[in-house]
Amino acid sequence: MAKVNGVNKKLLAKKDMNFFAEFTANAAKAARMLGYGVAAGVLVVFVVLTFIVAFFIRNTIIKGQIKDLQNTLNGPDYASLEQDAAVLSEELNDMTNYYYALTQMRKNVDLVDTVPTELPDIIEKCIPSDSFIRDYTITNSTLSMSGYSFTYYSPVDMVNMLNEKNVFTSRPNISVVREDIASETQPEDLIDGDMVDAINNYYQFTVSGTLITNVHISVTRFQEGTEIATSIGGVETIDVKAGDAYAIEGVSQITYAGVTYQLTRITVDGNQVDDAHFAIILQDNKYSDVARGNYDIRLYYAPVTADAAATEG
């Protein structure tokens, strides 16, 4: 076998082939990676171009729709909408003010308590057999009556019976005075012409007390204004028996004429509710109290802005 410098020629050729094969494999691998990179780059460029074209087409369509909408709004059908909206808003304000005025008059009527129709019958049933009522008057919620009795305790018994029938808010004032017949020249005049046996002793009595009536709570809602608050709706009147508890529900937020309002403050007979009590009212979403008298409650609101509504949501 031929040798070169003492080395076998076949063995030398084999080593040369193995040496170049390694470089050939690396070159092929690099070529494949380069091909993959080029393909990926082409794909990315294609996707980007696709998005650009799609965005351009979509933008063109939207611009066309906006232009069509503007042309429609500028058309004769919509030309007077703003003016019509202003007219409707003014009409709504006028109707709201008119409704408020009506409810204010209704409130004034509700504040006048009517005398129970059954009161004369109740008084008649409580009059003892030896007594009679000469006259009685009712001023606002005060009942005053006077009469005569042949016994001292009969007027007291009559008042007790009236109290048992819940006629008065508390025990009324009563005065019983014995009449001196000898000092009267005409005894029959003591009882408006009705004859009384002047030989017997009899007494004149007067009774005065406060009738049980309802307490009236007026509730009005206003929108806060820079100079003057405007009414939201009308005046609501709540009739409650004196001493009973009452509640006004859903006060934290209200919606009127499509606008949502948030409660900002409360006044009762002109006095503003303190911050601590107001915070409790907002949390409970109601105003509650005990009816001790006629109250004028005013709830003040401010429109809820879009940012505030989003924050609450």
Side-chain angles (χ1 to χ4, degrees), residues 214-229:
N214 287 337
V215 169
H216 306 287
I217 312 296
S218 64
V219 182
T220 314
R221 295 168 175 84
F222 293 94
Q223 178 182 346
E224 295 277 19
T226 54
E227 295 182 358
I228 185 172

Side-chain angles (χ1 to χ4, degrees), residues 115-116 119-120 123 133-147 167-168 205-211:
V115 178
L119 181 59
I123 295 176
I133 302 297
R134 180 175 182 175
D135 57 50
Y136 74 92
T137 58
I138 297 176
T139 304
N140 293 330
S141 59
T142 301
L143 169 64
S144 299
M145 56 184 177
S146 62
V167 173
F168 299 104
F205 63 86
T206 58
V207 178
S208 178
T210 302
L211 297 172

Side-chain angles (χ1 to χ4, degrees), residues 4-288:
V4 178
N5 296 328
V7 180
N8 193 315
K9 289 184 177 181
K10 290 184 178 181
L11 182 59
L12 183 61
K14 186 176 181 180
K15 289 182 178 181
D16 292 339
M17 291 177 62
N18 291 337
F19 176 77
F20 287 107
E22 183 178 354
F23 285 100
T24 303
N26 290 335
K29 183 178 180 181
R32 287 196 302 272
M33 295 300 295
L34 180 61
Y36 293 153
V38 171
V42 171
L43 180 61
V44 170
V45 171
F46 176 76
V47 172
V48 171
L49 290 177
T50 301
F51 274 106
I52 292 175
V53 172
F55 177 79
F56 177 77
I57 295 174
R58 185 171 180 271
N59 191 32
T60 303
I61 294 174
I62 292 176
K63 286 183 177 180
Q65 292 175 344
I66 293 175
K67 186 176 181 180
D68 293 340
L69 182 59
Q70 289 176 341
N71 293 334
T72 302
L73 293 176
N74 292 331
D77 295 337
Y78 296 90
S80 61
L81 281 183
E82 184 175 355
Q83 183 178 358
D84 293 342
V87 172
L88 290 175
S89 178
E90 185 176 354
E91 290 180 356
L92 177 61
N93 290 334
D94 292 341
M95 294 180 66
T96 300
N97 293 334
Y98 180 68
Y99 178 64
Y100 174 76
L102 288 178
T103 54
Q104 183 68 33
M105 289 187 288
R106 172 60 186 271
K107 168 193 169 183
N108 295 334
V109 174
D110 291 338
L111 291 179
V112 179
D113 290 318
T114 58
V115 178
T117 56
E118 67 274 10
L119 181 59
D121 294 334
I122 295 176
I123 295 176
E124 179 184 3
K125 293 178 181 179
C126 294
I127 299 175
S129 59
D130 63 344
S131 306
F132 79 96
I133 302 297
R134 180 175 182 175
D135 57 50
Y136 74 92
T137 58
I138 297 176
T139 304
N140 293 330
S141 59
T142 301
L143 169 64
S144 299
M145 56 184 177
S146 62
Y148 294 93
S149 174
F150 286 103
T151 60
Y152 180 85
Y153 293 102
S154 291
V156 179
D157 293 337
M158 180 182 66
V159 169
N160 288 334
M161 287 187 288
L162 291 174
N163 281 333
E164 291 177 356
K165 294 184 179 296
N166 295 322
V167 173
F168 299 104
T169 57
S170 59
R171 183 172 294 276
N173 298 322
I174 181 171
S175 172
V176 182
V177 180
R178 180 180 178 181
E179 288 291 338
D180 185 4
I181 298 299
S183 64
E184 300 292 339
T185 57
Q186 295 179 340
E188 64 275 8
D189 292 338
L190 294 174
I191 50 176
D192 286 342
D194 293 334
M195 294 301 297
V196 174
D197 187 358
I199 298 176
N200 296 325
N201 294 326
Y202 63 95
Y203 302 84
Q204 181 179 3
F205 63 86
T206 58
V207 178
S208 178
T210 302
L211 297 172
I212 291 180
T213 56
N214 287 337
V215 169
H216 306 287
I217 312 296
S218 64
V219 182
T220 314
R221 295 168 175 84
F222 293 94
Q223 178 182 346
E224 295 277 19
T226 54
E227 295 182 358
I228 185 172
T230 56
S231 63
I232 303 176
V235 182
E236 177 187 359
T237 304
I238 305 173
D239 294 336
V240 187
K241 284 188 177 181
D244 287 354
Y246 67 93
I248 306 170
E249 303 284 349
V251 298
S252 297
Q253 274 194 355
I254 61 172
T255 300
Y256 181 77
V259 180
T260 301
Y261 296 90
Q262 176 68 37
L263 184 66
T264 57
R265 61 190 177 98
I266 300 175
T267 63
V268 180
D269 289 341
N271 300 316
Q272 185 162 321
V273 173
D274 60 81
D275 294 340
H277 189 194
F278 182 75
I280 296 175
I281 294 171
L282 284 179
Q283 181 178 357
D284 295 341
N285 195 23
K286 68 178 180 180
Y287 176 88
S288 58

